[in-house]
Amino acid sequence: MVEKRCEDPVIRDLWHPVAAVPDVVDRGPIRTQLLGETLTVQSKEGGDICVTEEAVQGTGASVDGVSLTPTLPTLQKFGFVWTSLGSPPDSLFDIPEFQESDRWYENSGSFRVHTSAGRAVENFLDLAHFPFVHEGYLGERPYTEVKDYSVATKEGEIWANGCEFYQPIAAVSATEGQVTQYSYRLAHPFCPLLYKTSPLNRERFDVIGIFVQPMTEERACAHQFLCLLDESNDDATIKRFQAVIFGQDKPILENQVPKRLPLEPRAETPIRADKTSIQYRRWLYDLGISYGVVRGSSPEQISVT
Amino acid sequence: MIKLYDYELSVNCYKVRLLLNFLLVPHKLHSIDFFPGWEHKSEWFREINPLGHIPVIDDEGFLLRDSNAILIYLAAKYDQSCRWYPVHEPSRLGEVSQWMMFSEGTTNTASAARLHDSLGYEFDIEACREGAHKLFRVLDEHLWFQEQNGSSWLCSGDDPTLADLVIFPDVILSEEGGISRVGYPAIRRWADRFRHLPDFSLMAGVLPT
Ligand SMILES: [Fe+2]
């Protein structure tokens, strides 16, 4: 299948995650896709990492037999390599907790899913599915009620505050069920972050999130990260927990129709889409994003499952 | 107690977990950071399995690798009924072995497609999918004839065997690799029967019934 070239200037200008730094350094070069283009991510002498577009490799001029393949803008942050197909802003958003020395930060896997980046983000924002999809982990029937909470846009980001939910095992470090308090932060159209009460210190929050890479309009890669106060659990146990959560979400996500995220605000049906996701879709709409979404579709094309 | 070196999303590990749970054998899981940590390729793990593969079991110091080998060992040792691996019935034992060989094919096609689509493994995805469909057609036809002959499972007899157990994970997760089961009604009915067996266990990605 030939992907049509992405003409959406808004999404082309964003920074997008394309690989975890250790994957590139230890097992590179890595081939991946971004907005339908095939990219190669590889490390260079001196620790730099460069990203090139396959379509233009070898087409550049060469000097003394060395081809001059134009490289894409690149930065490394939060353990990932980020790039852009357009003119990205000078910097990427920040996660202040990332700097706190008593935290444990790790990328916990880059998982691909056959749906749009927007669908993957929306699933991450959706509290209501926890007791059904992650029963025994992040939720438990009959505790299915989502309490009311507030959603607001501030400084170009979306924040949802005051979410509460009963969870049997909120994280690996939990020893008993707890009412977990959440805040959601959308720091970037495809980077949702979740702040939740730490089972170890109820005054502080664990931060987890996904940086979603739109590979094509209907395929995405969710790069997971964890920024936790957990000191007792080993890597493999925590990563297993994350893999289980992802594995449970995957078939649900892949069965959603259409794969692209419907944005038309008026056509929104409130059955599944909660307040945060309504706000999220509206935000993408207002930003003018057209790639991987359905804009201005007729209402019957919208099915929220 | 048996220790299983395990990764949740691995089909070969899932096969071993399925049997341990069917047989109610107490065990503990040692999670390997297979992805993204590649711990199965680490130096310490290669001392356990020089091939750098999971699953591996450690049964009180007895180490065994390769899911088919592990399953045969566990069934022979812990299944008093000899239901899963009929060691005393030569023809059925032959059938079970035949389908266990067949499962190498489904794992290398259907489950390889899933690794490509989920974890970004560099495989020839079209070849994987095509290969899986070829094998699924053979499987579907065989299961249809089995049903006509009054049998619910891959091998003759009333009970499921390791043959069913090793092929089930590749089949039930095939859609994660873009391999639809719409065209294989006998496979779908068989997978459903398997999911309803007592002490059947789930893995993430296999939906509860
Ligand atoms: Fe989920």
Side-chain angles (χ1 to χ4, degrees):
Chain A
M1 189 176 65
V2 179
E3 280 292 325
K4 77 171 199 293
R5 192 181 143 83
C6 167
E7 305 287 0
D8 175 348
V10 182
I11 204 166
R12 287 182 74 89
D13 283 349
L14 290 173
W15 285 110
H16 297 283
V18 286
V21 173
D23 285 345
V24 180
V25 174
D26 301 338
R27 286 177 290 282
I30 287 181
R31 282 175 81 233
T32 185
Q33 272 186 305
L34 178 64
L35 308 177
E37 308 290 342
T38 301
L39 306 182
T40 305
V41 188
Q42 56 193 318
S43 44
K44 291 271 158 203
E45 281 161 57
D48 279 357
I49 287 178
C50 80
V51 183
T52 47
E53 240 177 297
E54 196 155 273
V56 297
Q57 269 172 25
T59 58
S62 65
V63 174
D64 297 336
V66 179
S67 74
L68 299 176
T69 304
T71 57
L72 295 173
T74 305
L75 63 80
Q76 292 180 38
K77 199 163 181 181
F78 313 125
F80 292 93
V81 181
W82 302 71
T83 192
S84 174
L85 298 183
S87 313
D90 292 339
S91 63
L92 187 63
F93 62 88
D94 214 2
I95 304 173
E97 292 78 9
F98 187 74
Q99 317 291 345
E100 295 174 4
S101 59
D102 60 344
R103 282 177 185 267
W104 184 91
Y105 178 90
E106 183 135 40
N107 100 60
S108 55
S110 300
F111 295 97
R112 297 184 179 192
V113 55
H114 190 187
T115 195
S116 58
R119 287 276 190 199
V121 171
E122 192 183 66
N123 174 269
F124 187 88
L125 298 174
D126 174 28
L127 278 172
H129 81 285
F130 284 4
F132 303 102
V133 179
H134 307 300
E135 184 159 31
Y137 288 90
L138 299 180
E140 192 164 70
R141 281 175 273 191
Y143 307 101
T144 60
E145 186 197 358
V146 179
K147 298 227 177 72
D148 200 23
Y149 58 90
S150 66
V151 187
T153 307
K154 70 179 183 207
E155 291 161 21
E157 300 187 347
I158 295 179
W159 280 85
N161 289 307
C163 317
E164 272 188 12
F165 217 78
Y166 176 82
Q167 296 192 322
I169 314 173
V172 176
S173 56
T175 49
E176 55 186 32
Q178 65 170 20
V179 173
T180 300
Q181 262 132 21
Y182 286 92
S183 291
Y184 279 110
R185 172 186 173 204
L186 271 154
H188 171 295
F190 303 110
C191 299
L193 278 65
L194 178 61
Y195 294 74
K196 63 180 186 179
T197 321
S198 162
L200 299 175
N201 179 347
R202 308 212 40 144
E203 304 296 303
R204 296 176 70 190
F205 292 90
D206 283 337
V207 187
I208 65 170
I210 49 174
F211 304 136
V212 183
Q213 168 188 357
M215 297 174 65
T216 68
E217 290 205 270
E218 300 191 347
R219 284 192 189 269
C221 183
H223 303 276
Q224 297 183 342
F225 74 88
L226 303 159
C227 190
L228 309 178
L229 290 160
D230 193 321
E231 69 254 310
S232 58
N233 279 286
D234 66 288
D235 267 34
T237 311
I238 289 174
K239 287 183 187 172
R240 178 193 185 92
F241 185 83
Q242 293 297 109
V244 170
I245 300 303
F246 167 78
Q248 291 171 334
D249 275 324
K250 192 170 194 285
I252 310 289
L253 265 171
E254 295 187 338
N255 282 319
Q256 286 175 348
V257 179
K259 288 190 180 292
R260 289 182 291 149
L261 184 69
L263 293 191
E264 183 57 61
R266 284 180 310 264
E268 193 56 68
T269 49
I271 305 162
R272 175 179 168 278
D274 62 12
K275 253 180 7 190
T276 317
S277 69
I278 291 171
Q279 189 88 6
Y280 174 58
R281 292 181 187 205
R282 204 167 279 158
W283 189 42
L284 293 187
Y285 189 88
D286 293 344
L287 287 170
I289 285 180
S290 62
Y291 188 84
V293 299
V294 185
R295 287 182 80 91
S297 58
S298 58
E300 59 270 16
Q301 269 182 278
I302 304 225
S303 101
V304 178
T305 47
Chain B
M1 200 192 294
I2 294 179
K3 177 157 62 170
L4 169 64
Y5 293 97
D6 179 58
Y7 178 63
E8 171 70 20
L9 301 180
S10 148
V11 284
N12 286 330
C13 293
Y14 179 43
K15 294 170 191 176
V16 177
R17 295 195 302 265
L18 273 171
L19 187 64
L20 287 167
N21 290 322
F22 278 134
L23 298 179
L24 308 173
V25 177
H27 59 277
K28 56 177 187 241
L29 302 176
H30 181 133
S31 285
I32 295 295
D33 178 9
F34 177 86
F35 182 81
W38 287 57
E39 196 179 2
H40 54 302
K41 302 292 182 197
S42 66
E43 223 168 281
W44 82 264
F45 192 73
R46 280 185 195 273
E47 307 242 315
I48 289 168
N49 179 1
L51 300 177
H53 293 160
I54 45 172
V56 172
I57 57 160
D58 181 343
D59 190 1
E60 308 294 342
F62 177 61
L63 284 176
L64 203 59
R65 63 174 185 246
D66 193 306
S67 56
N68 281 347
I70 295 170
L71 292 167
I72 289 170
Y73 166 75
L74 291 173
K77 183 164 179 189
Y78 295 100
D79 179 17
Q80 257 75 48
S81 69
C82 296
R83 178 178 174 227
W84 291 97
Y85 196 63
V87 277
H88 306 300
E89 301 169 78
S91 60
R92 291 189 71 222
L93 187 62
E95 289 179 325
V96 174
S97 307
Q98 171 187 290
W99 289 107
M100 288 180 85
M101 297 295 286
F102 183 88
S103 78
E104 303 268 314
T106 51
T107 301
N108 290 333
T109 53
S111 289
R114 175 177 164 266
L115 286 179
H116 172 279
D117 279 13
S118 302
L119 304 186
Y121 276 58
E122 295 249 1
F123 294 133
D124 179 345
I125 184 64
E126 291 314 321
C128 289
R129 288 187 186 137
E130 204 178 299
H133 279 295
K134 267 187 198 150
L135 297 173
F136 280 18
R137 276 194 290 276
V138 172
L139 192 63
D140 191 60
E141 190 180 293
H142 174 75
L143 286 165
W144 187 86
F145 279 111
Q146 288 293 93
E147 285 177 344
Q148 299 308 302
N149 296 326
S151 176
S152 301
W153 309 108
L154 278 166
C155 302
S156 50
D158 294 335
D159 292 320
T161 62
L162 287 188
D164 303 283
L165 186 148
V166 293
I167 295 175
F168 173 81
D170 297 331
V171 166
I172 202 71
L173 294 163
S174 72
E175 270 158 8
E176 290 194 7
I179 299 152
S180 165
R181 294 188 297 277
V182 170
Y184 310 110
I187 290 184
R188 295 205 310 275
R189 290 192 295 273
W190 161 83
D192 234 43
R193 289 193 288 276
F194 193 84
R195 274 147 47 111
H196 282 89
L197 289 171
D199 300 312
F200 170 78
S201 44
L202 290 169
M203 79 170 247
V206 178
L207 298 176
T209 50

